Amino acid sequence: MDRLQNTVRPYAWGSVTAIPHLTGTEPTGEPQAELWMGAHPGAPSLVDRGTGPRSLAELIAADPERELGPAVTARFGPQLPFLLKLLAADAPLSVQVHPDSDQAAAGYADEERRCVPRTAPERNYKDPHHKPELICALTPFEGLCGFRDPAEAADALAALDLDPLKPYVDLLHAHPEEAALREVLTAVLTADRDEMAATVTEAAAASARLGGPHATYADLARHYPGDPGVLAAMLLNQVSLQPGEALYLGAGVPHAYLSGLGVEIMASSDNVLRCGLTPKHIDVPELLRIVRFDPATPAVLRPEASPDGEEVYDTPVHDFRLSRYVLAPGAPGRDLTLSTPQILLSTEGSPTVGNLPLGPGQSVFVPAGEPVELRGPGTVFRATALT
């Protein structure tokens, strides 16, 4: 197995202190938003097998069946199908959705055919893959996920008592519900930018006066003044996760992380379509084609324990599987050997993987089929793929 050397991504929304506090390192004064663990080409982990640091992506490409196992290689090709992260949000991320596999493949092929540069800001599809995600809270974690009941969204807008919002309130009382949500989101995203900015400013002031759940929207507007995404956010469910709870985000579900520290795992893709709270490109027609306008209460996941103490977060995809072990002092070791590749991440205590001690925030890559034993005490997250 290999101890991983991982890259911190300094996105502006990241926390200055959360990841350093977990890892016991000094803050740099700059945001530390995400710590990436895996072989994603954007920031692959490094490993050292005695000849100096080398990209995990390069090692896998050189011998995929040895590193990933034949079953994972046959299903996903010669690449690690998941990316594991520590995510630390101190400001809202953009409201976004991800395509399903067919949409991603078709969108990618279309942009390749039209010769849209992969680095172009208007490019929607960087690869032909879907991007399901799972976020598991390490601290109290706040987010937005999926459309709320349109009547609830109408009440939230009506409470602001603003004339420019009254047509949206009326639309949200119409039927069918999916059509009402589509019409309101379309209207918000295609309105005159100056008029919408003024409306958002009024809505933010009214939200601040109301407080309670509306305080979230005032905070969004503080970070993104005049952004239509503030009103888009009012169509979505607010979600609060406690440590150990998780949220699965499938294709077409609009979502945004607002604050907190968590372990995130996703399919190894860069396909994101944004609908607000961002200065980046928003392709409204494509976004509306991808979004699923199904109102639903988000399902908060809690892990299911297996006989050996593995606590599994059950999701409907094969690209990744996330679980955790919480081992008390003196607890017997656990045999974690699998026929699929693994990344093991310590988040608490002083566990040992094989002969490698792991402090919080440290991780290892375990090639497919390699024998590995976990000993405590501590909490270790296990990321792998299903075949």
Side-chain angles (χ1 to χ4, degrees):
M1 73 199 70
D2 305 282
R3 186 184 295 275
L4 295 178
Q5 301 174 42
N6 302 310
T7 298
V8 171
R9 309 308 295 264
Y11 306 132
W13 48 262
S15 169
V16 174
T17 58
I19 290 177
H21 179 74
L22 177 74
T23 58
T25 58
E26 285 295 319
T28 64
E30 299 296 321
Q32 297 189 33
E34 296 179 346
L35 181 71
W36 285 26
M37 292 158 277
H40 190 284
S45 300
L46 300 179
V47 301
D48 189 343
R49 293 184 175 175
T51 58
R54 187 179 178 189
S55 161
L56 180 59
E58 292 177 2
L59 283 174
I60 290 172
D63 194 348
E65 287 211 1
R66 178 182 181 276
E67 305 296 340
L68 305 178
V72 167
T73 303
R75 180 159 194 155
F76 299 103
Q79 59 188 6
L80 191 67
F82 61 84
L83 174 64
L84 186 67
K85 301 178 180 179
L86 281 173
L87 183 147
D90 197 38
L93 283 67
S94 62
V95 179
Q96 57 189 258
V97 297
H98 307 301
D100 64 26
S101 295
D102 291 342
Q103 292 164 339
Y108 178 79
D110 175 65
E111 290 184 326
E112 289 287 281
R113 185 169 53 252
R114 292 189 286 113
C115 299
V116 180
R118 294 183 191 176
T119 56
E122 71 274 15
R123 176 98 187 201
N124 294 318
Y125 299 96
K126 307 295 177 62
D127 55 68
H129 307 299
H130 68 165
K131 191 187 177 187
E133 302 176 354
L134 178 77
I135 184 76
C136 177
L138 295 179
T139 67
F141 196 96
E142 301 295 324
L144 304 170
C145 177
F147 288 104
R148 66 205 301 185
D149 183 283
E152 294 179 9
D155 290 344
L157 290 171
L160 301 179
D161 194 24
L162 299 175
D163 287 342
L165 298 182
K166 290 179 180 177
Y168 301 151
V169 173
D170 292 338
L171 285 171
L172 288 167
H173 285 301
H175 292 280
E177 293 181 334
E178 292 83 356
L181 289 166
R182 177 183 290 274
E183 194 164 351
V184 172
L185 184 63
T186 302
V188 167
L189 297 181
T190 57
D192 178 86
R193 291 290 294 195
D194 291 337
E195 291 180 6
M196 179 54 63
T199 300
V200 169
T201 299
E202 290 185 74
S207 293
R209 289 193 298 271
L210 286 171
H214 280 82
T216 295
Y217 311 121
D219 186 61
L220 296 181
R222 180 173 63 85
H223 289 284
Y224 297 97
D227 193 305
V230 174
L231 295 185
M234 298 184 74
L235 304 177
L236 307 182
N237 297 289
Q238 294 188 27
V239 183
S240 298
L241 300 178
Q242 294 304 308
E245 295 180 335
L247 194 64
Y248 172 73
L249 300 158
V253 177
H255 60 277
Y257 300 145
L258 304 181
S259 65
L261 175 68
V263 174
E264 184 183 37
I265 190 168
M266 61 184 60
S268 191
S269 170
D270 279 332
N271 290 325
V272 176
L273 290 111
R274 297 174 177 85
C275 53
L277 307 183
T278 179
K280 295 182 180 179
H281 174 66
I282 298 177
D283 185 336
V284 175
E286 185 66 7
L287 170 75
L288 295 173
R289 192 177 73 83
I290 298 301
V291 171
R292 295 181 179 175
F293 291 92
D294 311 338
T297 301
V300 173
L301 298 178
R302 295 172 181 84
E304 298 180 9
S306 62
D308 77 337
E310 183 183 24
E311 300 177 342
V312 181
Y313 293 91
D314 188 35
T315 62
V317 296
H318 286 73
D319 308 69
F320 60 76
R321 176 182 182 272
L322 185 70
S323 61
R324 69 176 184 177
Y325 286 87
V326 181
L327 298 185
R334 302 288 192 273
D335 181 4
L336 302 192
T337 307
L338 289 177
S339 61
T340 53
Q342 305 178 66
I343 292 178
L344 303 175
L345 165 67
S346 169
T347 58
E348 187 177 23
S350 53
T352 300
V353 177
N355 61 354
L356 296 177
L358 295 183
Q362 295 182 334
S363 55
V364 297
F365 172 73
V366 184
E370 181 168 320
V372 58
E373 183 183 32
L374 170 67
R375 298 183 302 278
T379 299
V380 170
F381 282 83
R382 177 199 231 181
T384 189
L386 296 174
T387 57

